[in-house]
Coordinates of all heavy atoms in Angstrom, one line a residue:
M1 N -43.9 -18.8 -17.8 CA -42.6 -18.7 -17.4 C -42.1 -17.3 -17.8 O -41.4 -16.7 -17.1 CB -41.8 -19.8 -18.1 CG -40.4 -19.8 -17.8 SD -40.1 -20.3 -16.1 CE -38.4 -20.7 -16.1
N2 N -42.4 -16.8 -19.0 CA -42.0 -15.6 -19.5 C -42.5 -14.5 -18.6 O -41.8 -13.5 -18.3 CB -42.5 -15.4 -20.9 CG -41.7 -14.2 -21.6 OD1 -40.7 -13.8 -21.0 ND2 -42.1 -13.8 -22.7
K3 N -43.8 -14.6 -18.0 CA -44.4 -13.6 -17.2 C -43.7 -13.5 -15.9 O -43.4 -12.4 -15.4 CB -45.8 -13.9 -17.0 CG -46.6 -12.8 -16.3 CD -48.1 -13.1 -16.3 CE -48.8 -12.1 -15.5 NZ -50.3 -12.3 -15.4
K4 N -43.3 -14.7 -15.4 CA -42.6 -14.6 -14.1 C -41.2 -14.0 -14.2 O -40.7 -13.3 -13.3 CB -42.3 -16.1 -13.6 CG -43.6 -16.8 -13.1 CD -43.3 -18.1 -12.5 CE -44.6 -18.8 -12.0 NZ -44.2 -20.2 -11.5
F5 N -40.6 -14.2 -15.4 CA -39.2 -13.5 -15.6 C -39.4 -12.1 -15.6 O -38.6 -11.4 -15.0 CB -38.6 -14.1 -17.0 CG -37.4 -13.3 -17.4 CD1 -36.1 -13.6 -16.8 CD2 -37.5 -12.3 -18.3 CE1 -35.0 -12.8 -17.2 CE2 -36.4 -11.6 -18.7 CZ -35.1 -11.8 -18.1
W6 N -40.3 -11.5 -16.3 CA -40.5 -10.1 -16.4 C -40.9 -9.5 -15.0 O -40.5 -8.4 -14.7 CB -41.5 -9.8 -17.5 CG -40.8 -9.9 -18.9 CD1 -41.2 -10.9 -19.8 CD2 -39.8 -9.2 -19.5 NE1 -40.4 -10.8 -20.9 CE2 -39.5 -9.7 -20.7 CE3 -39.1 -8.1 -19.0 CZ2 -38.5 -9.2 -21.5 CZ3 -38.0 -7.6 -19.9 CH2 -37.7 -8.2 -21.1
I7 N -41.7 -10.2 -14.3 CA -42.1 -9.7 -13.0 C -40.8 -9.6 -12.1 O -40.6 -8.7 -11.4 CB -43.2 -10.5 -12.4 CG1 -44.5 -10.3 -13.1 CG2 -43.4 -10.2 -10.9 CD1 -45.7 -11.2 -12.7
S8 N -40.0 -10.7 -12.1 CA -38.8 -10.7 -11.4 C -37.9 -9.6 -11.8 O -37.2 -9.0 -11.0 CB -38.1 -12.1 -11.5 OG -38.9 -13.1 -11.0
F9 N -37.8 -9.5 -13.1 CA -36.8 -8.4 -13.6 C -37.3 -7.0 -13.2 O -36.5 -6.1 -12.8 CB -36.8 -8.4 -15.2 CG -36.0 -7.4 -15.8 CD1 -34.7 -7.6 -15.8 CD2 -36.7 -6.3 -16.4 CE1 -33.8 -6.6 -16.4 CE2 -35.8 -5.4 -17.0 CZ -34.5 -5.5 -17.1
A10 N -38.6 -6.8 -13.2 CA -39.1 -5.5 -12.8 C -38.9 -5.3 -11.3 O -38.5 -4.1 -10.9 CB -40.7 -5.5 -13.1
W11 N -39.0 -6.3 -10.4 CA -38.8 -6.2 -9.0 C -37.3 -5.9 -8.8 O -36.9 -5.2 -7.9 CB -39.2 -7.4 -8.2 CG -40.7 -7.3 -7.9 CD1 -41.7 -8.1 -8.4 CD2 -41.3 -6.5 -6.9 NE1 -42.9 -7.8 -7.8 CE2 -42.6 -6.7 -6.9 CE3 -40.8 -5.5 -6.1 CZ2 -43.5 -6.2 -6.1 CZ3 -41.6 -4.8 -5.2 CH2 -43.0 -5.1 -5.2
A12 N -36.4 -6.6 -9.5 CA -35.0 -6.3 -9.3 C -34.6 -5.0 -9.7 O -33.7 -4.3 -9.2 CB -34.2 -7.4 -10.3
L13 N -35.2 -4.4 -10.9 CA -35.0 -3.1 -11.3 C -35.4 -2.1 -10.3 O -34.7 -1.1 -10.0 CB -35.7 -2.8 -12.6 CG -35.4 -1.6 -13.4 CD1 -33.9 -1.5 -13.7 CD2 -36.3 -1.4 -14.6
V14 N -36.6 -2.3 -9.6 CA -37.0 -1.4 -8.7 C -36.2 -1.4 -7.4 O -35.8 -0.5 -6.9 CB -38.5 -1.7 -8.3 CG1 -39.0 -1.0 -7.0 CG2 -39.4 -1.4 -9.4
A15 N -35.7 -2.6 -7.1 CA -34.8 -2.8 -5.9 C -33.5 -2.2 -6.1 O -32.9 -1.7 -5.1 CB -34.7 -4.3 -5.5
L16 N -32.9 -2.2 -7.2 CA -31.6 -1.7 -7.5 C -31.5 -0.3 -7.9 O -30.4 0.3 -7.8 CB -30.8 -2.6 -8.7 CG -30.6 -4.0 -8.2 CD1 -30.1 -4.7 -9.5 CD2 -29.7 -4.2 -7.1
T17 N -32.6 0.3 -8.2 CA -32.6 1.8 -8.7 C -32.1 2.7 -7.6 O -31.2 3.6 -8.0 CB -34.0 2.1 -9.1 OG1 -34.4 1.3 -10.2 CG2 -34.1 3.6 -9.7
P18 N -32.5 2.6 -6.4 CA -31.9 3.6 -5.4 C -30.4 3.6 -5.3 O -29.7 4.5 -5.1 CB -32.5 3.1 -4.0 CG -33.8 2.5 -4.5 CD -33.5 1.8 -5.8
S19 N -29.8 2.3 -5.3 CA -28.3 2.2 -5.3 C -27.7 2.8 -6.5 O -26.6 3.3 -6.4 CB -28.0 0.8 -5.0 OG -28.3 0.0 -6.1
L20 N -28.3 2.7 -7.7 CA -27.8 3.2 -8.9 C -27.8 4.7 -8.9 O -27.0 5.4 -9.5 CB -28.5 2.7 -10.1 CG -28.4 1.2 -10.3 CD1 -29.2 0.8 -11.5 CD2 -26.9 0.8 -10.6
L21 N -28.7 5.3 -8.2 CA -28.8 6.8 -8.1 C -28.1 7.5 -7.0 O -28.2 8.7 -6.7 CB -30.3 7.2 -8.1 CG -31.1 6.8 -9.3 CD1 -32.6 7.1 -9.1 CD2 -30.6 7.4 -10.6
A22 N -27.5 6.6 -6.1 CA -26.8 7.1 -4.9 C -25.6 8.1 -5.3 O -25.0 7.9 -6.3 CB -26.3 6.0 -4.1
Q23 N -25.5 9.2 -4.6 CA -24.5 10.1 -4.9 C -23.5 10.1 -3.6 O -24.0 9.8 -2.5 CB -25.0 11.5 -5.0 CG -26.0 11.7 -6.2 CD -25.2 11.6 -7.5 OE1 -24.1 12.0 -7.6 NE2 -25.8 10.9 -8.4
P24 N -22.3 10.4 -3.9 CA -21.3 10.4 -2.7 C -21.8 11.5 -1.7 O -22.4 12.5 -2.1 CB -20.0 10.7 -3.3 CG -20.3 11.3 -4.7 CD -21.6 10.8 -5.1
G25 N -21.4 11.3 -0.4 CA -21.8 12.3 0.6 C -21.1 13.6 0.4 O -20.1 13.6 -0.3
G26 N -21.6 14.5 1.0 CA -20.9 15.8 1.0 C -19.5 15.8 1.6 O -19.3 15.0 2.5
G27 N -18.7 16.6 1.0 CA -17.3 16.6 1.6 C -17.2 17.3 2.9 O -17.9 18.2 3.2
G28 N -16.3 16.9 3.7 CA -16.1 17.5 4.9 C -14.8 18.4 4.8 O -14.4 18.8 3.7
P29 N -14.3 18.8 5.9 CA -13.1 19.6 5.9 C -11.9 18.8 5.3 O -11.9 17.6 5.4 CB -12.8 20.0 7.4 CG -13.5 18.9 8.1 CD -14.7 18.5 7.3
P30 N -10.9 19.4 4.7 CA -9.9 18.7 4.1 C -9.1 18.1 5.2 O -8.9 18.5 6.3 CB -9.1 19.7 3.4 CG -9.4 21.1 3.9 CD -10.9 20.9 4.4
P31 N -8.5 16.8 4.9 CA -7.7 16.2 5.8 C -6.4 17.0 6.3 O -5.8 17.6 5.4 CB -7.3 14.8 5.2 CG -7.4 15.1 3.7 CD -8.6 16.1 3.6
V32 N -6.0 16.8 7.5 CA -4.8 17.5 8.0 C -3.7 16.7 7.5 O -3.5 15.5 7.8 CB -4.9 17.6 9.5 CG1 -3.6 18.3 10.0 CG2 -6.1 18.4 9.9
V33 N -2.7 17.4 6.8 CA -1.6 16.6 6.3 C -0.4 16.8 7.3 O 0.0 17.9 7.6 CB -1.1 17.2 4.9 CG1 0.1 16.5 4.4 CG2 -2.3 17.1 4.0
T34 N 0.0 15.7 7.8 CA 1.1 15.7 8.8 C 2.3 15.0 8.3 O 3.1 14.5 9.2 CB 0.6 15.2 10.2 OG1 0.2 13.8 9.9 CG2 -0.5 15.9 10.8
A35 N 2.4 14.9 7.0 CA 3.5 14.1 6.5 C 4.9 14.9 6.7 O 4.9 16.1 6.5 CB 3.3 13.8 5.0
V36 N 5.8 14.1 7.1 CA 7.2 14.8 7.3 C 8.2 14.1 6.3 O 8.3 12.9 6.3 CB 7.6 14.5 8.8 CG1 9.0 15.0 9.0 CG2 6.6 15.0 9.8
P37 N 8.9 14.9 5.6 CA 9.9 14.4 4.7 C 11.0 13.8 5.5 O 11.6 14.3 6.4 CB 10.4 15.6 3.9 CG 10.1 16.8 4.8 CD 8.9 16.4 5.6
I38 N 11.3 12.5 5.2 CA 12.4 11.7 5.9 C 13.5 11.5 5.0 O 14.4 10.6 5.3 CB 11.8 10.5 6.5 CG1 11.2 9.6 5.5 CG2 10.8 10.8 7.6 CD1 10.8 8.2 5.9
D39 N 13.6 12.0 3.8 CA 14.6 11.7 2.9 C 16.1 12.0 3.5 O 16.9 11.1 3.3 CB 14.4 12.6 1.6 CG 15.5 12.2 0.6 OD1 15.7 11.0 0.3 OD2 16.0 13.1 0.0
G40 N 16.3 13.1 4.1 CA 17.6 13.4 4.6 C 18.0 12.5 5.6 O 19.2 12.0 5.7
G41 N 17.2 12.1 6.5 CA 17.5 11.2 7.6 C 17.8 9.8 7.2 O 18.7 9.2 7.6
V42 N 17.0 9.4 6.3 CA 17.1 7.9 5.7 C 18.4 7.9 5.0 O 19.1 7.0 5.1 CB 15.9 7.6 4.8 CG1 16.2 6.3 4.1 CG2 14.6 7.5 5.7
T43 N 18.7 8.9 4.2 CA 19.9 8.9 3.4 C 21.1 8.9 4.4 O 22.1 8.1 4.2 CB 20.0 10.1 2.5 OG1 18.9 10.2 1.7 CG2 21.3 10.2 1.7
F44 N 21.1 9.6 5.4 CA 22.2 9.6 6.4 C 22.3 8.3 7.1 O 23.4 7.8 7.3 CB 21.9 10.7 7.4 CG 23.0 10.8 8.5 CD1 24.2 11.3 8.3 CD2 22.7 10.3 9.8 CE1 25.2 11.2 9.3 CE2 23.6 10.2 10.8 CZ 24.9 10.7 10.5
L45 N 21.2 7.7 7.4 CA 21.3 6.4 8.1 C 21.9 5.3 7.2 O 22.6 4.5 7.6 CB 19.9 6.0 8.6 CG 19.4 6.7 9.9 CD1 18.0 6.3 10.2 CD2 20.3 6.3 11.1
L46 N 21.4 5.3 5.9 CA 22.0 4.4 5.0 C 23.5 4.6 4.8 O 24.3 3.6 4.8 CB 21.3 4.5 3.6 CG 19.8 4.0 3.5 CD1 19.2 4.3 2.3 CD2 19.8 2.5 3.8
A47 N 23.9 5.8 4.7 CA 25.4 6.1 4.5 C 26.1 5.7 5.8 O 27.2 5.0 5.6 CB 25.6 7.6 4.2
A48 N 25.6 5.9 6.9 CA 26.3 5.5 8.2 C 26.3 4.0 8.3 O 27.4 3.4 8.7 CB 25.5 6.2 9.4
G49 N 25.3 3.3 7.9 CA 25.2 1.9 7.9 C 26.2 1.2 7.0 O 26.9 0.2 7.3
A50 N 26.3 1.9 5.8 CA 27.3 1.3 4.8 C 28.7 1.6 5.3 O 29.6 0.7 5.1 CB 27.1 2.0 3.5
A51 N 29.0 2.7 5.9 CA 30.3 3.0 6.4 C 30.7 2.1 7.5 O 31.8 1.6 7.6 CB 30.4 4.5 6.8
Y52 N 29.7 1.8 8.5 CA 29.9 0.9 9.5 C 30.2 -0.5 9.1 O 31.1 -1.3 9.5 CB 28.8 0.9 10.5 CG 28.9 0.0 11.7 CD1 29.7 0.3 12.8 CD2 28.2 -1.2 11.8 CE1 29.8 -0.5 13.8 CE2 28.2 -1.9 12.9 CZ 29.1 -1.6 13.9 OH 29.2 -2.5 15.0
G53 N 29.4 -1.0 8.1 CA 29.7 -2.3 7.4 C 30.9 -2.4 6.7 O 31.7 -3.5 6.9
A54 N 31.4 -1.4 6.1 CA 32.7 -1.4 5.4 C 33.8 -1.5 6.5 O 34.8 -2.2 6.2 CB 32.8 -0.2 4.5
K55 N 33.7 -0.7 7.5 CA 34.7 -0.7 8.5 C 34.8 -2.1 9.2 O 35.9 -2.7 9.4 CB 34.4 0.3 9.6 CG 35.2 0.2 10.9 CD 36.6 0.8 10.6 CE 37.3 1.0 11.9 NZ 38.4 0.1 12.2
K56 N 33.6 -2.8 9.5 CA 33.6 -4.1 10.1 C 34.2 -5.2 9.1 O 35.0 -6.0 9.5 CB 32.2 -4.5 10.4 CG 31.6 -3.8 11.6 CD 32.5 -4.1 12.8 CE 31.6 -4.5 13.9 NZ 32.4 -4.9 15.2
L57 N 33.9 -5.0 7.8 CA 34.5 -5.9 6.8 C 36.0 -5.7 6.7 O 36.7 -6.8 6.6 CB 33.8 -5.8 5.5 CG 34.2 -6.6 4.3 CD1 33.8 -8.0 4.6 CD2 33.5 -6.1 3.0
Y58 N 36.4 -4.5 6.7 CA 37.9 -4.2 6.7 C 38.6 -4.8 7.9 O 39.6 -5.4 7.8 CB 38.0 -2.7 6.6 CG 39.5 -2.2 6.8 CD1 40.3 -2.3 5.7 CD2 40.0 -1.8 7.9 CE1 41.7 -2.0 5.8 CE2 41.3 -1.4 8.1 CZ 42.1 -1.5 6.9 OH 43.4 -1.1 7.1
D59 N 38.0 -4.6 9.0 CA 38.6 -5.2 10.3 C 38.6 -6.7 10.2 O 39.6 -7.4 10.6 CB 37.9 -4.7 11.5 CG 38.1 -3.2 11.8 OD1 39.0 -2.6 11.3 OD2 37.3 -2.6 12.6
Y60 N 37.5 -7.3 9.7 CA 37.5 -8.8 9.7 C 38.5 -9.3 8.7 O 39.3 -10.3 9.0 CB 36.1 -9.1 9.2 CG 35.9 -10.8 9.0 CD1 35.9 -11.6 10.1 CD2 35.9 -11.2 7.7 CE1 35.8 -12.9 9.8 CE2 35.8 -12.6 7.5 CZ 35.7 -13.5 8.6 OH 35.6 -14.8 8.4
R61 N 38.7 -8.7 7.5 CA 39.7 -9.2 6.6 C 41.1 -9.0 7.1 O 42.0 -9.8 6.9 CB 39.4 -8.5 5.2 CG 38.2 -9.0 4.5 CD 38.2 -8.4 3.1 NE 36.9 -9.0 2.5 CZ 36.5 -8.5 1.3 NH1 37.2 -7.6 0.7 NH2 35.5 -9.1 0.7
K62 N 41.3 -7.9 7.8 CA 42.6 -7.6 8.4 C 42.9 -8.6 9.4 O 44.1 -9.1 9.5 CB 42.6 -6.2 9.0 CG 44.0 -5.7 9.4 CD 43.8 -4.2 9.9 CE 45.3 -3.7 10.3 NZ 45.2 -2.3 10.8
S63 N 42.0 -9.0 10.2 CA 42.2 -10.1 11.3 C 42.5 -11.4 10.6 O 43.3 -12.2 11.2 CB 41.2 -10.1 12.3 OG 40.0 -10.7 11.7
Q64 N 41.9 -11.7 9.5 CA 42.1 -13.0 8.8 C 43.5 -13.1 8.2 O 44.0 -14.2 8.2 CB 41.0 -13.2 7.7 CG 39.6 -13.4 8.3 CD 39.5 -14.7 9.1 OE1 40.1 -15.7 8.8 NE2 38.8 -14.6 10.2
K65 N 43.9 -11.9 7.7 CA 45.4 -11.9 7.1 C 46.3 -12.2 8.3 O 47.4 -12.8 8.0 CB 45.6 -10.6 6.5 CG 45.3 -10.4 5.1 CD 45.7 -9.2 4.5 CE 45.5 -9.1 3.1 NZ 45.9 -7.9 2.5
G66 N 46.1 -11.6 9.5 CA 47.1 -11.8 10.5 C 47.2 -13.2 11.1 O 48.2 -13.6 11.5
E67 N 46.1 -14.0 10.9 CA 46.1 -15.4 11.4 C 46.9 -16.3 10.5 O 47.4 -17.3 10.9 CB 44.6 -15.9 11.5 CG 44.0 -15.3 12.8 CD 42.5 -15.7 12.8 OE1 42.1 -16.6 12.1 OE2 41.8 -15.2 13.7
A68 N 46.8 -16.1 9.2 CA 47.5 -16.9 8.3 C 49.0 -16.9 8.2 O 49.7 -16.2 8.6 CB 46.9 -16.7 6.9

């Protein structure tokens, strides 16, 4: 039993050695960065949405006061 274990261990060691020695592939050209900053546009859209929502809420509350 002990001999079978060591033979199996030796075969596993031989089989796994190439993957343990693998190196990453050579690098290629650097990736092209096409990121566009959207901070200004998003801030403007959030501000416009908040203003629109505030105006709608104001109009709704004003119409509710007129009914009562």
Side-chain angles (χ1 to χ4, degrees):
M1 182 73 167
N2 197 12
K3 186 175 182 182
K4 287 183 182 180
F5 170 78
W6 286 111
I7 291 174
S8 298
F9 178 77
W11 275 107
L13 188 64
V14 169
L16 294 176
T17 300
S19 64
L20 295 175
L21 297 176
Q23 297 293 319
V32 177
V33 178
T34 58
V36 178
I38 58 171
D39 182 44
V42 171
T43 304
F44 177 74
L45 284 173
L46 287 173
Y52 181 72
K55 172 74 167 112
K56 288 298 232 180
L57 183 63
Y58 173 77
D59 290 343
Y60 175 75
R61 288 187 179 174
K62 189 175 179 183
S63 71
Q64 291 297 322
K65 269 188 176 178
E67 289 178 6

